[in-house]
Amino acid sequence: NQNVATETEFRNKIKEEIQTYWNGQANNQIHDQVFHQLVDHTTIEFPEGFLKKWVKTQGETPKTDEEVEAEFPKFLSQLKWTLISDKIVQENAIQVAPDEIRAFAKQQLFSYMGGANLSDDQPWVTDYVEKMMKDRKFVEDSYNRIQTQKIFEWAAGQVNPTDKEMGAEEFTKMAEEHQHHHH
C-alpha cells in the first residue's frame, strides 16, 4: 500500500524499512547506556533496612527474607531511576501535553492497522482518540512512555556519542548481552 510501482522503488522502500529498524535498535542501545550511566554512577544513600521491611510487607502476602533479598536489587534500581528521572523532569521542565497523548493514540491505532496510509482527520479516528483520552490507564501509561522518551532524548543530547561501525551480528550480540528489563 505504499504506491511502489518499480523494482527500484521496491528496493529503496526495503532499504528504508531496514534502516528504520536498525536506527530504532541503535536508539534503544543509546537509551540503555544512558540509563546505566545515570543509575550506576549516581550515588544515593537509601535506608536499606527500612526499605527491605517495606518490600517484605508489600503485596497480598508477606515475602520471605529470601524473596526480599532476590527482589531488592531490582527494586532499588527502579527507585533510583524514579528519583533521577523525576529530578531531570523538574530541572529541565519536561512536560507532556494532552495533544502529544492524542498523537500517540493515533500512532498506536495506525500501527495496529498495519501502518496503512489512513487520513487522521476521519471522524472515526477522532472518536477513537477521544475514547482513549477518557481511559485513565491509557492516558497514564502513554504519559509515562512519552515522558520517559523525552528524558532519554534530553539525556542523549547531553553526551557526544561516537559512531562505531559494526555488522548486524556483532550489534545483535552486544544488545543481547545487555538484555534486561529495567525501563
Side-chain angles (χ1 to χ4, degrees):
N1 294 336
Q2 301 287 328
N3 297 326
V4 175
T6 68
E7 181 179 343
T8 302
E9 288 175 345
F10 179 74
R11 288 182 180 278
N12 287 340
K13 187 66 184 163
I14 295 294
K15 184 178 179 183
E16 179 185 311
E17 288 184 13
I18 291 170
Q19 185 67 51
T20 298
Y21 170 80
W22 286 110
N23 287 349
Q25 295 300 307
N27 207 30
N28 289 343
Q29 273 302 300
I30 291 170
H31 289 182
D32 186 66
Q33 291 180 22
V34 164
F35 173 86
H36 281 290
Q37 278 296 322
L38 290 170
V39 172
D40 298 345
H41 300 286
T42 301
T43 304
I44 301 175
E45 295 296 324
F46 290 107
E48 289 193 17
F50 169 79
L51 290 174
K52 285 179 180 179
K53 286 179 189 172
W54 185 80
V55 168
K56 188 173 189 164
T57 61
Q58 295 308 300
E60 293 178 21
T61 58
K63 294 177 177 62
T64 66
D65 290 340
E66 292 77 22
E67 289 173 323
V68 170
E69 289 303 321
E71 294 175 17
F72 196 70
K74 184 175 180 181
F75 167 79
L76 213 51
S77 179
Q78 288 173 334
L79 178 58
K80 199 175 198 183
W81 173 248
T82 298
L83 295 171
I84 291 167
S85 59
D86 285 352
K87 187 165 180 68
I88 290 170
V89 166
Q90 289 174 359
E91 289 182 355
N92 297 283
I94 293 173
Q95 298 177 344
V96 177
D99 284 348
E100 291 173 295
I101 297 172
R102 283 185 178 87
F104 183 74
K106 281 183 193 177
Q107 175 191 0
Q108 279 197 323
L109 172 64
F110 293 165
S111 71
Y112 293 151
M113 302 186 79
N117 282 336
L118 299 170
S119 171
D120 64 358
D121 60 356
Q122 296 178 44
W124 68 271
V125 173
T126 303
D127 291 345
Y128 171 82
V129 169
E130 290 311 314
K131 179 180 175 216
M132 296 310 294
M133 292 300 289
K134 291 176 182 151
D135 179 339
R136 183 173 164 222
K137 181 166 175 31
F138 173 82
V139 170
E140 287 175 3
D141 289 348
S142 300
Y143 181 95
N144 290 332
R145 287 178 68 175
I146 295 166
Q147 184 182 63
T148 298
Q149 182 65 31
K150 287 182 172 198
I151 290 167
F152 281 119
E153 287 170 3
W154 171 86
Q158 304 306 304
V159 296
N160 294 317
T162 55
D163 287 340
K164 179 181 176 185
E165 198 166 311
M166 64 177 66
E169 285 181 23
E170 183 183 356
F171 182 85
T172 301
K173 184 178 181 215
M174 181 185 73
E176 286 172 354
E177 288 172 358
H178 293 95
Q179 275 299 332
H180 36 257
H181 305 285
H182 46 56
H183 303 288

